[in-house]
Amino acid sequence: MQNSKAKMDEFKSKFMDLLHKQTNRQMKIPAMGFSDYFIQTVTTDTSPSHEADATDAAAAAGQANAQKSDQEILESIEQCYYSPDSNPQLYELKKVLNDGIDNELIEVTIAQLRTQQKVLTKQVLQNILEQRNACSSEFAAINDTQKKLEESLWTCQKARSYLNFARTNLTTTSLEILASYRKREVLKEVLDTLVAIKKLRTTDVEVQKLLADHNYSAAIALLLQCKSSAEAYMQFNCVQSLSKKLQETMLLMEFQLDTVLNEMVLGFDGRKYAKLQEAYKLANKSLMAMDQLHINYISAIHSSVNSVLRGYSDPGQDDQAKPLYEQLCEQLSVEKLLPCLISLCKTFWTILASYYQVVMWHNNYKLYGQDEEDSPDMYIQQKLKKGQSRVWNDILTKVCLFLQAAKLKTLKYDQFIQVLSVVQRLKKVGLEFCGEQSEKLIETMQQQSEEFFRRYHICCVEEICLFLDNESWTQVDSFAHILQLPDFRSVRHTLRRHKSPTTALLASSSNNSPISNNNCDELVSVHSQDGGGSSIYGSYGYFLRFSEKSSPFDGGLDAAMLEEDILSGIVDEASCYFSEESDDEQKSLQSKEFDDTSNQLLVNNTALNVLRCIGRYLQMCKLLHCISPKIVASMLELIDFYAYAVHEIFGKDALVATDNLHTPRLEQRLRSVEINVLPQIKLWPLNFSSLANNELANPDTLYGLSQRIVAVEAGRSMLQQFHILQHYLNHLLPLAERPTLSSYLEYSEYMADLAKPVYTCVTSRVIDLTAILAQMAKVKWDVNHVIHQHSSYSDVLNRNIQSFAMCLEEISKEVPVPSKPVWNSMAHVATHLLVEGFSNVKKCSAGGRALMQLDFANFMSFLELISNQKYPQHRSYVDVFIKTFYFAPEQFEQWIEQQRLGDEYSTKQLTSLIQCICVSDKRTRQRLLQLLDGGISNGNGNGLNMSPQKNQPETVSGSNLSSVI
């Protein structure tokens, strides 16, 4: 310190001396430039020998430089003089001596250099003078600093003196107190450290307790807190080992969290899931947990299906072999298909219900409370939305593989209907779950259903054949409506609504209930697709009515599934309106809408079985509206097959040909059965010889008329009941297929046309055709006078009619006799018999024609009286034939022209008529016969052919009469 002060004083004194010397000099520094006097005084080193030359050169240089300012002279100084590394002397010598010794150049250069030196020196001095004030202020600051240093030095010296005094005066006791305090603080710090280490050691136990209580978030928080605390004591070896153990505990806890998260797949617990999500949030792994959750769902689907299938597989299989899913499906026995499918659907429901609750939980709770697009909650929502489709598609794939590999076509009807019901419910579950229509499932089920229905339809037809083979053709009592049949039980309310197009609307308005809510099937087509992802049940969907513990597939093996509306997904179920009615209201409404239920219908066992088959078809049509056209066509085939069977059994044993009794539409339907149905039946043709040789050949029973009536009227009742289904079938059919059904049902005379050949087989035997024709041939028709007494054959014919009426009375005690078609058949046979007999007349006079009219009038009055009916068509048929004898030639020729284009009379009858009328006019006769032969294409016409029929004894002899009725 003393040395530095001495040096500072020395430096200060030297500098002050320099300043004093400068101030004592009497120098004159001009403001601008130097005078010649100054130049001469400072120039002291010029030699005497060169003084004159120098003076001249200096004068010349002075004149030249006088013209330049100081600034220009300063700027003319070359750059090398400012560089510390340059050598100016050598530079100037080289520049002057470069071209040899030039004295003048040397003098000029010396003068220039001196001028530059003077200007530079003057500028330096001027700068020093300008900075003198700043220098003085700086020295003043230095003096102040020196004073402060002196004060600081004094303070330090005083402090040292005080410290020496304190050191000498403080006692040992005071120092011991300070040492003890310091030791206590150190011990407290050590104790805190030990407590923290102890807490770290007991963290594992506390974490396990929290995990046992499912308090995952507290466990995560505790671990994170301990991990943060451990970082402050990492200098201890024990803490380092504890930190590693905490890290392992963290990993084990994350594994346990993943295990609990996996349990959510098959058993969702809202409280436990909330704690899980809070724990993952604290661990900053919420997004990873969501990805892991989706992996768990997909894995659960694949593992659960194999587990379910192995539970239904053959226990004798090798446990070492692990067959594929498709192989397990193929190895299932038929009786295990339905239980296995229901178990699969229950398992899938558990997974879907759990996923649905996860989605609902995240919709109700936000983990991060942010609505930005890049927030974790938005990522989770998008992930769940995409995951819904993926989970459902995986389930759909498994179900479709099961349906394709399983032998569904070998199932029984009830089992297959239950399969359809299960699949339909699964489809609705998928629609409610993610809004998908499950087209792949529908397509797969459509293929399986087509195969099953094709086989089942053949089985139904063969079943009808068995009923036909064992049919007694007697009336079944206590049948009034198809709703009595158990096969129509599931569509009871639906058929009531579809009985007429406005029934549903009236029912809805009477109960003040919105049509859109209660009778939605009236406003929504079966074939329409539900838009969006809304549930069909709205707020009453499966996911709100059921949970993981119960499912829509419970009770799938009992009759309850068939009794309820199994078509709830196609929006044509019994609807909320009917399900909310009381039983009394339902019965009241049913009695109002179906007044005909109090009238008993005439049916037989076979017709009832056909209706039951139609009822089963209807259930399949409800569930499989995609193949509804094929199913409805098969219903019509069943009706046509019954009509064909009745025609084959009861319409082929007539004594007259009945071919032209068939209308074109009836012939078309019978032909369709022969082409489309019969080739598929192994049991056809059936053996009806016992029936034909006994009841149908017994005159005491009118040749089985009661059996024939039961057969025909049962078909009529069956067709009448089928009309009840028309509106509902139109509801199930696509628009393009509805005209086909309407066209079929527009043929209202179907059974009436079928009854004609059937009843003709009886009426053609009741009348002794041969005897009456023989008696008519014996009558003398060419009389010259008018006879007032009818012929004897008319009495015989009337007695046959009377006997027939008496037999009908007896039969009516057993079965209701449809008098109109039966008596119409009798009138048909009798009138055609009369025309046939009249056409056999070779010669006839006007009196003979009057006798014909008398005989016909007598017969018709008796027939109308005993039958209590009128027959204008049959009366006209005979009247026109008789009155042709009174036609003028031109009128008769015109009538023949009309008849040759029709089929009312046979060719044989018209030929005989021409020959009888034109017996004396050969030319006219030949012309009309040629006209008739060239125009009539139907050789038999509409007459009476008494040739014996197939499988009938030849009971008629005599004339070979052509024609069909």
Side-chain angles (χ1 to χ4, degrees), residues 244-419:
K244 294 180 181 179
K245 188 176 181 181
L246 287 175
Q247 190 66 26
E248 294 176 357
T249 304
M250 189 72 175
L251 295 175
L252 291 175
M253 195 188 68
E254 290 179 359
F255 177 77
Q256 188 171 354
L257 288 179
D258 292 340
T259 303
V260 177
L261 185 65
N262 191 27
E263 295 175 358
M264 297 292 104
V265 174
L266 297 178
F268 181 82
D269 187 340
R271 297 178 61 185
K272 190 181 295 185
Y273 185 77
K275 295 178 180 179
L276 275 176
Q277 289 298 328
E278 188 65 26
Y280 279 118
K281 179 182 178 181
L282 289 175
N284 198 21
K285 292 187 176 181
S286 297
L287 303 184
M288 294 178 61
M290 188 55 57
D291 295 337
Q292 183 62 39
L293 182 62
H294 281 81
I295 295 174
N296 293 342
Y297 275 107
I298 300 301
S299 176
I301 292 173
H302 292 276
S303 60
S304 59
V305 293
N306 292 329
S307 177
V308 171
L309 285 175
R310 290 192 184 97
Y312 286 92
S313 60
D314 188 3
Q317 293 180 354
D318 187 9
D319 295 336
Q320 299 295 331
K322 293 184 178 180
L324 299 176
Y325 175 76
E326 293 82 354
Q327 295 174 341
L328 289 173
C329 296
E330 294 173 354
Q331 293 170 2
L332 284 175
S333 58
V334 177
E335 60 274 8
K336 294 181 179 180
L337 286 179
L338 182 58
C340 184
L341 176 61
I342 293 177
S343 297
L344 281 175
C345 291
K346 287 182 179 180
T347 303
F348 292 148
W349 167 257
T350 302
I351 296 173
L352 292 175
S354 173
Y355 194 98
Y356 180 82
Q357 294 187 26
V358 169
V359 174
M360 296 304 296
W361 190 92
H362 283 281
N363 288 338
N364 296 328
Y365 300 99
K366 302 295 183 182
L367 292 176
Y368 295 90
Q370 299 176 358
D371 295 333
E372 289 80 5
E373 295 182 357
D374 56 348
S375 68
D377 285 324
M378 294 301 296
Y379 171 82
I380 292 174
Q381 293 286 348
Q382 295 174 1
K383 185 75 176 179
L384 289 173
K385 186 175 182 181
K386 294 179 181 178
Q388 282 181 296
S389 298
R390 182 181 177 185
V391 169
W392 176 247
N393 287 329
D394 282 356
I395 290 177
L396 210 60
T397 301
K398 294 297 182 182
V399 175
C400 291
L401 288 175
F402 179 87
L403 295 175
Q404 291 172 353
K407 309 174 185 65
L408 295 184
K409 64 180 180 181
T410 60
L411 293 174
K412 297 180 180 179
Y413 169 78
D414 292 341
Q415 294 175 332
F416 189 78
I417 288 296
Q418 288 179 337
V419 170

